[in-house]
Amino acid sequence: AVVSTQSGHYGRDSKDEAVKAQYHSRWLTFDANIRNGVKQNIVATLGKESSHPSNAAQCVAAIAQIEIPTNQWPDIIQILVNNCTMSNVDTRAKEASIEALGYIVEDIDPTLLLDKANPILTAIINSMRVEEPNERVRVAGAHALNNSLEFAKEAFDNQAERNFIMQVVCEATQSKNVKLQVAALQCLCKIMSLYYKYMELYMNQALFAITFSAVNSQEDEVALQGIEFWSTTCDEEMDLALEAQEAHDLGEPPDVVSKHYMLGALQYLIQPLLKRLTIQEEFDDEDDWNPNKAAGVCLMLIAQCCTDSVVPHVIGFQEHISHTDWRYREAAVMSFGCIVDGPDPKTLQQHAWNLVPHLVTLLKNDPSVPVRDTCAWTIGRICERLPQTVILHPDCMELVQALLISLNTDPRVATNACWAFSSLAESAYEEAEKQHNENEDEPQTYILSPIYQHIITQLLATADRSDANQNNLRSAAYEAIMELLKSSPRDCYAVVQTTTVMIIERLQQLLLHRQNANDKSSSQFNDLQSLLCATLQAVLRRMQPGDALQISDTVMSAFLMMMSANNQSSAVQEDALMAITTLLEITGCHFAKYMDSFWPYLLASLQNHAEYSVCGAAVGVVGDMCRAFGNEIGSFTDKLMELLVAALSNANLHQSIKPSILSTFGDIAMAIGPAFVKYLPVVVHILQQASSANVDKNDYEMWDYFNELREGIIEAYCGIVQGLKHDDPAQNQLEALRPHLQIIVQLLMGVSEDKDKTESLTTAACGLLGDIVSTYGSSVKHLVQFDGISNLLAQGRRSRSVKTKHTATWASKEMKKINAL
C-alpha cells in the first residue's frame, strides 16, 4: 500500500519537466522483467484499495505515459477498456480503470493514441450514462471525460458523436448526486472553452436551462460551476471579439463567429448573480472560493464582454446602498465596482459621480468591515477607470480623508485604501499633466499637493503596523508610496528628498537586524528588503541627478550589504541588482568608483545559472554598465564576455535569459566600438547557431521564446554594426563583418516571411536592415534587393506602432538612397 501511494504521488505530482524526464529515464533502465512484474502487480491492485482516488490508477498512468511512446506497454489501454466495459468486472476495479484512462489521456501526446481514441472515449462516456447503476463509476467517468476533452476533438467534429456526448453530459447534470452534478458541469465549462463553435444547438435546447438552474442551486459546489460556465463563456466571447477585430484588419473572415450568448443571457443571469453577492458572512475566509466571490468575478467579466449593455441591469441595485442589512449595502457597492471596467466611461460617469458621497459616508462610518473594505476597493476602481469623477468631485478631499482614516482600521480595509491611493495618485498626476504648461517637463502641482506629505507619512506608518503582514498590507503601503513618488509634481520634491533619506535609514536598520534574524523570520525580512529596494528605486528615479549623487555612496553601501549576506534569497539578490541598475542609470559614469566593491558580486551573479532570475538581473546590469561607461568598460569586457558565453553554453540555464545575453553582446559592441572585433568570430558563430533554431508553432510558449531569441540576435547585430563603424578608416572594422552579411539578410528574410512575428521583432528587423544599408551603402545592394526585404519594410510602414512605422520609413529611405546609385 505504501509503495502504491508513493508511486501515485510521483505519477501525479512530478510537474517539473526536467525531474520528470530524469525519472522516466530511470524507470526505463530497469530490467524488462522487473518492469513487467511491477506493471502486472499494479494492474492487479486496481479496485483493491481503500483509498480514493485510486493511487494504483495514478501509478498505471505514470508508467503508461513513459512506456506507450516507446511501444513497451501496448496492451494497457485495452486492459483498462476491458475493465470498464466487461460486466464481470468488480465496480471498484471499473472505477479505478476509468480514472487511469482519464489520467493517461490528460498528459500524453494525443497522436500516440489515435488508433485507440474511439474505444477510450466509448468506455469513458458509457461509464457516465444513466444506465450505469454505480454512482461512483459515473463520477469517475465524468472526471475522466473532463481530463480527455482535448483528446476528443475528432469526436466533437462528428455531429452524431458530439450529440451523444452532450446528451450523456447533460443527463449527468440532472443527477441527484452532487458530486456527479459538479463533475458534469465542469465538463460543460471545458466543452464551452474548447468547442464553442458547436454549442449553438445545445445552448438553445439545454445549456441555458441547465446552467441557470445551477447558478440558483442551494449547493455551493453546483452553483460555483454554473457561474463558472458563464465566466468561461465571457472569456471565449471576448477572445472571439479580439480575433474578429484582427481578422477585419487583415480583410479576412474570422475562423469562429461569436454567437453573443452572454448578451442574450444578461436579463436572466444578472439578478441571480446580484442575489449571490448578498449571500455571505462577515468573517468568511478570504481564501475560500465561494459563489459570492465567483459571482463578483463573473459580473466583472460580463461588464468587459457586454460593455454598456450591462449597466441598466445592475445600476438599479444601487438602491440597496442604504439597506439596513450590511450584506445588501456591501453587494450594492460591490456590484458597481465590478462593472467599472468595460462600459464606456461616459455611460458610468454620472452614476459614479452620484455614488461618491455615499462611498465617503460608508467608508468613514459603516460598522461593517466588509462594507468598508469593498468601499475602498470600489474607490480604487473608480480612480483607475473614471478618474475625473473623483478628482473633479467637490467631495474629493473628504474622500482622501476617509482613505487616510481607513489606513488605521482593519488590515483588509487598509490594504484596499492603499491601493485606492495608488490609483488616485496616478490619475491625479495624469490629469495635472493635461493641464500643465507645455514648456515644462512636469506639472508644477496637483490636487494632492497640499496633503502629499501627510499621505506619505501615514503610508509609512501603515507599513510599520504590527499587523502589516496580514492581507499584504505592508506591500500595498509601499506600492502606494512608490506610486506617489513616481507621480509627484515639482512642489512635492522636498518630500521626495526626505522620503529618500527615510527609506535608506529603514533599509540600513533592516540589514543590521537581518544579521541576527532566525530562519523563521528570514522570509519576512526578505519581503521587506524587496519592498524597500523597490521603493528606493522609485524615489531615486524622481531625484535630480545632483541630489542622487550626494546620497549614492550610502545607497550603494546598503545594496552591497544586501548582496553580501550569505543566506540571502535569490529574490532579494535580484531586487538588489535591479536597484543597482537604477543607481547606474542615474549616476552614469560616476558609478565607476563602486566597481572594485561591486565586481565580485556581479561575477558571482553572472555565474549563478541555477537561480536564473539573479543571472538575468546581472545581465541587465552589464547592459546598463555599457551605456553608462561607454569605452571605459573595455577593461572589464574580457571577463564579462567569457562569463556571458559560458552562460549561453550551459544547458541548465533557463532559456528566458539567453535572448538578453545575445542583446548584451550588441551593448558591449556599441560601448567599446571597433575593439569588439576580437570577440567577433565567437559571437557571430553563436548568433548563427541561434538563428538556425526551429520550434513548433503550436507550442505557444516556445514560439514566444523563439520571437524573443530572434529579437536578441537582431539587437546584437545592430550593436555590432554600429560598434565596428568608426570615422577614422584606420580604426574601422566593418570589413570583418562583411562575410556574414548574407546570412544576416537571410535571417531578416525569415522574419519577413513569418506571419506570427511580434511588433517589436518587426521594428528590430527594420532597424538592422537600415543600419546595414546606411553603413555599407551600395556595396550591399545585391544582398537586399529581394521581395522579402521589400515586404518587411512594407509591413513595418503599415504597422499601427509609431515606432515600427518610423523605423521602417527610415530604413526605406536608406534603401532608396542606395538604389539611386
Side-chain angles (χ1 to χ4, degrees):
V2 173
V3 172
S4 174
T5 301
Q6 290 178 341
S7 299
H9 287 319
Y10 153 68
R12 303 300 302 160
D13 296 338
S14 296
K15 297 298 184 186
D16 185 277
E17 292 302 318
V19 173
K20 186 181 286 189
Q22 183 182 0
Y23 286 164
H24 287 188
S25 298
R26 185 186 301 171
W27 169 256
L28 293 173
T29 61
F30 290 134
D31 181 80
N33 291 328
I34 295 175
R35 284 189 282 120
N36 289 335
V38 171
K39 290 185 290 188
Q40 289 171 10
N41 289 333
I42 292 171
V43 169
T45 306
L46 291 170
K48 296 179 180 176
E49 303 163 277
S50 57
S51 62
H52 184 78
S54 167
N55 286 304
Q58 296 178 59
C59 197
V60 166
I63 297 173
Q65 287 156 14
I66 300 171
E67 296 205 348
I68 287 175
T70 55
N71 201 32
Q72 296 193 55
W73 203 1
D75 58 343
I76 183 55
I77 297 297
Q78 193 58 53
I79 291 171
L80 295 173
V81 167
N82 289 344
N83 282 353
C84 298
T85 55
M86 292 173 66
S87 59
N88 61 340
V89 176
D90 178 76
T91 54
R92 288 185 301 174
K94 186 174 183 179
E95 179 186 6
S97 298
I98 294 166
E99 288 178 18
L101 283 173
Y103 293 145
I104 291 170
V105 297
E106 180 185 20
D107 291 332
I108 204 165
D109 180 356
T111 60
L112 297 171
L113 295 175
L114 288 178
D115 60 327
K116 300 178 178 65
N118 280 338
I120 291 173
L121 285 172
T122 300
I124 291 173
I125 292 294
N126 282 335
S127 69
M128 286 181 65
R129 295 177 66 187
V130 174
E131 291 79 6
E132 170 56 54
N134 188 289
E135 290 290 293
R136 284 181 51 161
V137 170
R138 293 186 73 192
V139 173
H143 286 306
L145 179 62
N146 196 35
N147 288 344
S148 61
L149 281 168
E150 288 98 336
F151 177 75
K153 183 180 181 305
E154 286 192 13
F156 270 86
D157 289 341
N158 181 295
Q159 185 174 352
E161 294 183 32
R162 182 171 69 245
N163 287 343
F164 181 61
I165 293 172
M166 292 301 295
Q167 178 187 340
V168 171
V169 174
C170 289
E171 287 174 349
T173 65
Q174 304 307 297
S175 169
K176 293 181 180 180
N177 183 312
V178 172
K179 289 183 177 179
L180 181 55
Q181 283 186 60
V182 170
L185 286 164
Q186 286 173 335
C187 289
L188 289 182
C189 292
K190 199 165 184 179
I191 287 168
M192 175 57 83
S193 175
L194 293 171
Y195 305 111
Y196 177 96
K197 64 182 178 181
Y198 294 132
M199 289 299 106
E200 186 171 14
L201 172 65
Y202 313 110
M203 288 294 282
N204 294 333
Q205 292 186 353
L207 300 188
F208 273 112
I210 288 171
T211 55
F212 288 152
S213 174
V215 169
N216 290 291
S217 173
Q218 297 301 306
E219 296 287 347
D220 279 2
E221 290 299 311
V222 174
L224 276 171
Q225 294 309 315
I227 296 168
E228 179 62 26
F229 178 87
W230 288 104
S231 293
T232 301
T233 302
C234 286
D235 282 332
E236 286 304 306
E237 294 191 339
M238 285 189 285
D239 287 345
L240 289 175
L242 290 174
E243 290 169 13
Q245 184 60 53
E246 290 173 2
H248 179 268
D249 293 344
L250 295 170
E252 301 172 354
D255 292 335
V256 181
V257 177
S258 174
K259 300 299 182 181
H260 303 291
Y261 299 129
M262 191 62 253
L263 203 56
L266 271 180
Q267 59 183 315
Y268 308 105
L269 187 63
I270 295 296
Q271 292 309 311
L273 291 176
L274 293 174
K275 180 65 178 175
R276 283 286 173 187
L277 292 181
T278 68
I279 303 172
Q280 59 173 311
E281 296 303 326
E282 188 149 13
F283 300 106
D284 279 347
D285 190 332
E286 288 189 20
D287 294 329
D288 284 348
W289 185 245
N290 57 40
N292 174 279
K293 293 186 178 71
V297 171
C298 188
L299 203 54
M300 284 192 273
L301 290 170
I302 292 171
Q304 293 171 37
C305 182
C306 300
T307 62
D308 288 359
S309 300
V310 77
V311 177
H313 297 282
V314 174
I315 212 66
F317 199 68
Q318 302 308 298
E319 67 183 17
H320 295 301
I321 202 160
S322 300
H323 201 286
T324 55
D325 187 337
W326 70 266
R327 295 169 182 82
Y328 280 83
R329 296 196 302 275
E330 194 274 343
V333 176
M334 172 64 77
S335 65
F336 189 83
C338 287
I339 66 167
V340 165
D341 184 10
D344 187 323
K346 293 178 183 177
T347 305
L348 291 171
Q349 200 85 41
Q350 190 59 52
H351 297 299
W353 185 275
N354 297 337
L355 186 63
V356 166
H358 295 285
L359 294 176
V360 172
T361 301
L362 291 172
L363 188 59
K364 290 169 68 175
N365 303 321
D366 199 287
S368 167
V369 170
V371 173
R372 286 183 280 116
D373 180 33
T374 302
C375 276
W377 175 76
T378 300
I379 289 169
R381 296 268 289 176
I382 293 173
C383 290
E384 190 175 53
R385 297 291 302 170
L386 308 166
Q388 289 189 330
T389 304
V390 174
I391 294 164
L392 303 179
H393 202 285
D395 290 342
C396 180
M397 283 299 105
E398 281 194 50
L399 184 146
V400 172
Q401 291 298 331
L403 289 173
L404 286 168
I405 292 169
S406 298
L407 294 177
N408 297 311
T409 59
D410 188 278
R412 62 191 276 196
V413 180
T415 295
N416 273 320
C418 290
W419 179 67
F421 271 123
S422 296
S423 300
L424 180 59
E426 183 179 7
S427 298
Y429 189 80
E430 288 175 357
E431 186 64 25
E433 279 188 311
K434 296 175 187 175
Q435 309 297 330
H436 86 285
N437 190 322
E438 291 182 1
N439 297 323
E440 298 176 345
D441 293 336
E442 58 186 359
Q444 179 64 34
T445 188
Y446 73 161
I447 193 170
L448 297 179
S449 292
I451 53 172
Y452 183 85
Q453 181 164 4
H454 184 52
I455 295 173
I456 291 285
T457 301
Q458 290 301 306
L459 287 167
L460 286 167
T462 301
D464 285 339
R465 283 176 49 162
S466 59
D467 57 356
N469 60 320
Q470 297 180 31
N471 299 92
N472 294 315
L473 177 55
R474 184 174 286 111
S475 295
Y478 277 115
E479 285 167 9
I481 292 168
M482 283 186 265
E483 192 55 57
L484 280 156
L485 294 170
K486 187 175 74 173
S487 306
S488 59
R490 286 187 179 182
D491 63 355
C492 296
Y493 184 67
V495 182
V496 172
Q497 288 178 297
T498 56
T499 304
T500 305
V501 174
M502 294 173 67
I503 296 297
I504 293 171
E505 288 174 353
R506 287 181 176 221
L507 186 56
Q508 288 174 325
Q509 291 170 9
L510 181 69
L511 290 168
L512 290 174
H513 288 304
R514 179 78 168 79
Q515 295 173 355
N516 303 317
N518 56 37
D519 291 338
K520 187 178 292 186
S521 60
S522 63
S523 176
Q524 292 182 18
F525 274 110
N526 289 340
D527 292 343
L528 186 51
Q529 282 180 95
S530 295
L531 287 169
L532 288 170
C533 255
T535 308
L536 198 49
Q537 280 181 267
V539 80
L540 284 170
R541 288 198 174 97
R542 295 301 296 163
M543 293 195 75
Q544 297 171 7
D547 294 333
L549 284 171
Q550 291 180 20
I551 62 168
S552 62
D553 289 356
T554 306
V555 172
M556 190 62 189
S557 295
F559 291 156
L560 290 173
M561 282 182 68
M562 290 177 67
M563 296 290 294
S564 65
N566 292 329
N567 57 344
Q568 202 68 277
S569 74
S570 60
V572 172
Q573 290 183 51
E574 180 187 358
D575 290 332
L577 286 166
M578 292 176 70
I580 287 169
T581 295
T582 303
L583 192 62
L584 243 172
E585 293 171 4
I586 295 166
T587 58
C589 60
H590 297 285
F591 188 88
K593 63 181 178 179
Y594 306 123
M595 283 306 296
D596 285 345
S597 301
F598 176 53
W599 183 242
Y601 300 114
L602 178 60
L603 297 186
S605 298
L606 286 171
Q607 295 174 86
N608 190 352
H609 302 157
E611 295 170 318
Y612 65 89
S613 61
V614 175
C615 182
V619 172
V621 171
V622 173
D624 286 311
M625 284 171 56
C626 293
R627 287 179 280 278
F629 295 172
N631 195 50
E632 297 300 313
I633 200 175
S635 58
F636 301 104
T637 53
D638 282 353
K639 189 63 179 177
L640 291 174
M641 287 296 297
E642 176 192 330
L643 295 183
L644 292 173
V645 170
L648 285 172
S649 303
N650 190 321
N652 295 321
L653 178 66
H654 197 277
Q655 64 184 27
S656 62
I657 308 301
K658 296 185 178 183
S660 59
I661 294 177
L662 299 178
S663 180
T664 302
F665 289 153
D667 295 331
I668 293 172
M670 288 185 67
I672 66 175
F676 188 81
V677 72
K678 64 178 177 179
Y679 308 122
L680 192 62
V682 171
V683 171
V684 167
H685 177 69
I686 290 171
L687 295 177
Q688 290 178 2
Q689 273 191 324
S691 300
S692 64
N694 285 306
V695 297
D696 179 4
K697 278 196 173 186
N698 294 319
D699 186 337
Y700 297 121
E701 187 175 334
M702 281 302 297
W703 189 251
D704 287 342
Y705 165 69
F706 184 53
N707 277 323
E708 292 170 8
L709 186 69
R710 289 187 293 178
E711 195 172 332
I713 295 166
I714 289 172
E715 287 172 352
Y717 279 131
C718 283
I720 292 169
V721 170
Q722 295 177 45
L724 295 180
K725 181 170 59 178
H726 199 280
D727 293 337
D728 182 355
Q731 297 187 51
N732 193 311
Q733 296 289 344
L734 285 170
E735 289 303 308
L737 186 63
R738 187 181 291 277
H740 308 290
L741 291 179
Q742 187 170 357
I743 293 177
I744 296 174
V745 172
Q746 287 174 0
L747 169 65
L748 297 179
M749 297 269 281
V751 172
S752 173
E753 294 165 5
D754 178 12
K755 293 182 179 179
D756 298 315
K757 57 182 171 290
T758 59
E759 195 71 60
S760 57
L761 180 57
T762 302
T763 308
C766 290
L768 176 56
L769 180 61
D771 283 340
I772 291 172
V773 172
S774 64
T775 301
Y776 287 92
S778 60
S779 67
V780 296
K781 187 190 296 189
H782 67 289
L783 293 176
V784 296
Q785 287 183 329
F786 293 99
D787 289 344
I789 295 299
S790 301
N791 291 340
L792 174 65
L793 294 174
Q795 292 161 16
R797 292 193 301 270
R798 291 195 301 267
S799 171
R800 292 183 176 183
S801 164
V802 174
K803 182 179 179 182
T804 306
K805 187 176 293 187
H806 176 79
T807 305
T809 302
W810 165 75
S812 299
K813 289 178 180 178
E814 295 299 321
M815 285 282 287
K816 285 181 181 178
K817 288 179 186 178
I818 67 166
N819 288 335
L821 297 175

